Amino acid sequence: MIDTKTYHLTKKTYRNIFFSKLKRNILQLIPFLLFLTLLIGWQATRFIALYSVCALILIGFCILLWFYFKNLKPFFTETQLKFNEQEFQLTKNDGTSTWLFSSIRNVVVHEEYWLIYLTINSYLYVPKNIFYTEEDFNKFKALLNV
């Protein structure tokens, strides 16, 4: 197994991930609202569109406040990643979770980190600056098929 540096998710990065997902959900709602406008007409659907977008933003802020007041210390604890050719392990609070690279559904690439989706809704945050060598970084990147 190849070890990496320990890392932790910061609250600022978590907010950025959360709002990018919220923005993507709002953008996915727009084609539906445009289609609804063509079917029903502008007069009736402009209020539906306005209320839908406002409701999504309000729900997003409510969820963010709920996360803020909820105890998320285990979520922001230090994590260490280990990997080999078939699997990768995350160690957090003396607990280890192991996943196969073949079980990855999607990888979202950002400038500073990867979001590795194991299911539609659950993802793993892996920053790009945790590798000791450039060779380890390139090997992990190749295993992710990015």
Side-chain angles (χ1 to χ4, degrees):
M1 291 291 239
I2 298 172
D3 290 336
T4 62
K5 301 174 191 173
T6 57
Y7 67 93
H8 67 282
L9 178 63
T10 62
K11 290 185 179 184
K12 180 182 177 186
T13 306
Y14 178 72
R15 279 193 304 268
N16 290 341
I17 292 169
F18 179 78
F19 280 120
S20 69
K21 289 177 66 87
L22 182 67
K23 183 173 51 173
R24 184 178 57 176
N25 289 343
I26 289 174
L27 290 176
Q28 289 174 349
L29 182 66
I30 290 174
F32 170 74
L33 294 175
L34 288 174
F35 181 71
L36 193 65
T37 302
L38 292 174
L39 286 178
I40 299 174
W42 173 248
Q43 295 298 327
T45 56
R46 66 180 171 183
F47 294 112
I48 295 171
L50 179 65
Y51 289 136
S52 299
V53 171
C54 290
L56 275 176
I57 292 171
L58 182 66
I59 289 169
F61 282 118
C62 290
I63 290 173
L64 190 64
L65 286 175
W66 179 68
F67 284 143
Y68 180 75
F69 291 116
K70 185 180 174 187
N71 184 11
L72 290 177
K73 287 183 183 176
F75 192 62
F76 295 116
T77 58
E78 289 204 351
T79 307
Q80 184 175 16
L81 174 72
K82 295 179 183 180
F83 67 96
N84 60 21
E85 287 78 23
Q86 291 87 22
E87 63 185 20
F88 61 99
Q89 295 179 349
L90 287 178
T91 304
K92 188 183 285 195
N93 291 338
D94 298 328
T96 301
S97 301
T98 304
W99 293 280
L100 296 174
F101 280 105
S102 61
S103 67
I104 295 174
R105 293 184 63 133
N106 188 18
V107 177
V108 177
V109 180
H110 289 275
E111 194 172 310
E112 299 171 357
Y113 57 87
W114 291 296
L115 294 178
I116 301 171
Y117 282 86
L118 301 170
T119 64
I120 293 174
N121 294 323
S122 66
Y123 61 87
L124 301 172
Y125 165 78
V126 178
K128 293 183 178 180
N129 61 355
I130 62 170
F131 300 96
Y132 287 115
T133 64
E134 189 71 27
E135 180 182 318
D136 292 344
F137 172 78
N138 290 331
K139 188 173 189 177
F140 187 76
K141 186 177 177 181
L143 290 170
L144 289 177
N145 295 325
V146 178

